[in-house]
Amino acid sequence: TLKEALDFALLIKKNIVAASTYNAYKGKAKALQLYVAKNYPGITHIHQLTKNIMVQFLNDVLQRTSPRNRNNYRLELSSLFQTLEDNEIIVSNFLKKIPTLKAIPERNKTYTKETQEAIFEFLETEDPILLLYIKFISYNFSQLITNNMKLD
């Protein structure tokens, strides 16, 4: 079945990859199973999955999140499917043939001095604990940066 095949691939990967990578694989495999169960209830076995279904799944991920996340799903599921191909459970890993999307990274935006002051003034009255937390983190960040500059 689809579940048994993915569980087998995860079992193999568990001994090969780091725990965090394994957990990422496990999450992606579960998401795929849920998607298939919801959208294709007639598909129960791994050999019934097609490239078209996987493209639709990845498009669903893209609609909900970002191109980068969609590419990560593709990469991690492709790794699991490669394990299945290597163990002759599936004929070929068609996920390798699905292209990656260009993902333009978003630069972290900084607040202007005026915006920062407005946020601080708002938090002074509405949530002084959060303001204290923000100042505490900011101070430690600035100390970290200052200390790293001294080391250079």
Side-chain angles (χ1 to χ4, degrees), residues 9-52:
L10 286 168
L11 184 65
I12 299 293
K13 289 291 186 183
K14 188 172 189 171
N15 297 321
I16 299 171
V17 298
S20 59
T21 304
Y22 172 77
N23 287 333
Y25 287 165
K26 192 173 177 182
K28 305 295 190 288
K30 183 171 183 163
L32 174 61
Q33 289 176 59
L34 291 172
Y35 176 84
V36 170
K38 179 182 176 188
N39 296 289
Y40 301 95
I43 293 179
T44 55
H45 288 78
I46 191 76
H47 69 274
Q48 293 174 297
L49 279 183
T50 63
K51 181 180 174 186
N52 184 35

Side-chain angles (χ1 to χ4, degrees), residues 39-130:
N39 296 289
Y40 301 95
I43 293 179
T44 55
H45 288 78
I46 191 76
H47 69 274
Q48 293 174 297
L49 279 183
T50 63
K51 181 180 174 186
N52 184 35
I53 291 170
M54 294 306 294
V55 167
Q56 290 177 34
F57 169 69
L58 293 173
N59 286 339
D60 181 65
V61 172
L62 176 63
Q63 294 300 315
R64 291 182 288 109
T65 61
S66 67
R68 183 174 181 175
N69 194 38
R70 179 252 187 216
N71 290 340
N72 288 342
Y73 266 82
R74 183 197 149 282
L75 182 68
E76 291 170 11
L77 287 172
S78 179
S79 181
L80 291 177
F81 276 60
Q82 189 60 49
T83 301
L84 295 175
E85 180 185 333
D86 293 345
N87 287 277
E88 298 184 6
I89 293 172
I90 60 174
V91 177
S92 73
N93 178 7
F94 48 77
L95 280 163
K96 291 191 295 188
K97 297 175 185 144
I98 299 173
T100 59
L101 299 179
K102 183 176 182 182
I104 302 168
E106 289 187 27
R107 182 187 164 295
N108 290 335
K109 296 174 183 75
T110 55
Y111 292 115
T112 64
K113 184 77 171 160
E114 295 78 23
T115 304
Q116 176 201 328
E117 289 172 2
I119 291 169
F120 278 19
E121 286 176 20
F122 174 80
L123 289 175
E124 279 177 3
T125 57
E126 299 298 320
D127 198 342
I129 304 276
L130 178 59

